[in-house]
Amino acid sequence: MRSACRFAALLLLVAGSSAVFGPVAKSQEARRRASAPEGYRRLVPGVVTTIPIQWDPGETVSFPNIVELVSIPGLNWTPQTISKAETLAAKATRVAFRRDVWNLEFSFLPMRMVAVDVPQPGGKMRRTMIWYLVYRVTNQGGHLHPERQADGTPAIKKVDHPVTFIPSFTLYNPELRKSYLDKIIPVAMGPIRAQEDPRRKLLNSAEMMEQPIQVSTETEDNSVWGLATWESGFESGDLVDPRTDYFSIYVDGLSNAYKFADPPAAYKAGEPPAKGRLYYEKMLQLNFWRPSDEFSDAETDIYLGAPSDLGIRGRIDYQWVFR
């Protein structure tokens, strides 16, 4: 019965991937499979889920109030010989802060589990379930570079350059309101590669940031494969609770886009610049659900998506968020 259900779920995943990502994503995936190094395990269509890059020119500019200036006592005065819009206080509310924005393409295999003996303090070993996500990061180029044209008006130019991926994966359980950062678990690498592809090199989060990712082209795929892992158990707060039914994984580092805000009264005149300022980074949120057991995490089936009883309308596989 379970095999039939899993086969049906795989068919739905393949159909859903075709409907959501369209012929462009499918053609890119076909080229990658065709150009995979000899000896690598060939991935059938629908197994890899690719999240389209979200390009937004608006992320290259911010128009905040410069609170460090507008909070200076006596600065907001009424001039007699110039327009009030030309005062320093007024200008400080309409300054444009422009910046380059790059994005990386993220693809991943179905999230899985594997049982591994993990060393414990004192030299003992503990048999535990490792939750893991095998992923691929691709630099497609076309990054956004704001510049000023000859007539003085701003414009966006697309540029290609290498990007260093500094990954951070956070598994969040909305029911228990607990967050778990991914952990580098060396003893898990062998069993995971054996289960996925013994010939494919998977980088952990520390190794991933060592080399910039070069731009991929029609003829050269410079994608890099990585691995994020979490340890399951009740022994400490940094272990994923086996009772987890629904969870999200937040992937940070796929973009340098950010937003910032100055809460009212967070900054006072004379304080260090930017005190109280809040920064929000652009992240990818992946939603999953699984059957769980209070006494065992042997249920290893994990499905992409968020059921409607989470308070989210419809079935949401992913979304881009600022956190």
Side-chain angles (χ1 to χ4, degrees), residues 2 5 21 29 44 88 90 113 116 124 138-139 166 173 197 205 233 241 243 258 268 271 301 308-309 312:
R2 175 175 294 179
C5 292
F21 303 117
E29 199 57 53
V44 300
L88 184 59
M113 296 183 181
V116 175
K124 295 184 178 181
T138 307
N139 182 357
I166 303 178
N173 183 327
D197 188 346
S205 295
D241 195 308
R243 298 169 296 182
Y258 67 90
K268 296 180 177 56
E271 294 182 331
D301 294 334
S308 58
D309 59 0
I312 303 175

Side-chain angles (χ1 to χ4, degrees), residues 176-240:
L176 303 178
R177 297 184 179 180
K178 288 186 177 181
S179 298
Y180 312 91
L181 292 175
D182 70 303
K183 300 167 60 176
I184 297 177
I185 309 174
V187 295
M189 182 64 74
I192 291 174
R193 289 186 62 195
Q195 184 164 285
E196 299 293 335
D197 188 346
R199 294 177 179 268
R200 188 182 297 279
K201 182 176 177 59
L202 302 176
L203 304 181
N204 61 39
S205 295
E207 295 169 333
M208 181 63 70
M209 66 181 73
E210 291 180 354
Q211 294 291 334
I213 301 176
Q214 302 298 319
V215 175
S216 291
T217 65
E218 289 288 331
T219 58
E220 185 177 11
D221 182 12
N222 292 315
S223 302
V224 181
W225 287 82
L227 176 68
T229 51
W230 295 264
E231 188 176 350
S232 176
F234 291 108
E235 288 75 10
S236 66
D238 63 343
L239 303 181
V240 178

Side-chain angles (χ1 to χ4, degrees), residues 24-38:
V24 174
K26 288 194 296 182
S27 63
Q28 292 176 343
E29 199 57 53
R31 287 198 305 270
R32 285 168 178 153
R33 291 198 305 274
S35 62
E38 190 65 31

Side-chain angles (χ1 to χ4, degrees), residues 1-73:
M1 180 65 181
R2 175 175 294 179
S3 298
C5 292
R6 296 180 68 177
F7 181 69
L10 179 60
L11 289 178
L12 288 174
L13 175 62
V14 173
S17 298
S18 300
V20 173
F21 303 117
V24 174
K26 288 194 296 182
S27 63
Q28 292 176 343
E29 199 57 53
R31 287 198 305 270
R32 285 168 178 153
R33 291 198 305 274
S35 62
E38 190 65 31
Y40 280 22
R41 181 174 295 168
R42 301 285 175 168
L43 301 174
V44 300
V47 170
V48 179
T49 300
T50 297
I51 307 300
I53 294 176
Q54 184 187 67
W55 293 107
D56 182 1
E59 294 172 351
T60 65
V61 60
S62 299
F63 296 92
N65 292 337
I66 306 179
V67 295
E68 292 86 347
L69 292 180
V70 298
S71 63
I72 296 177

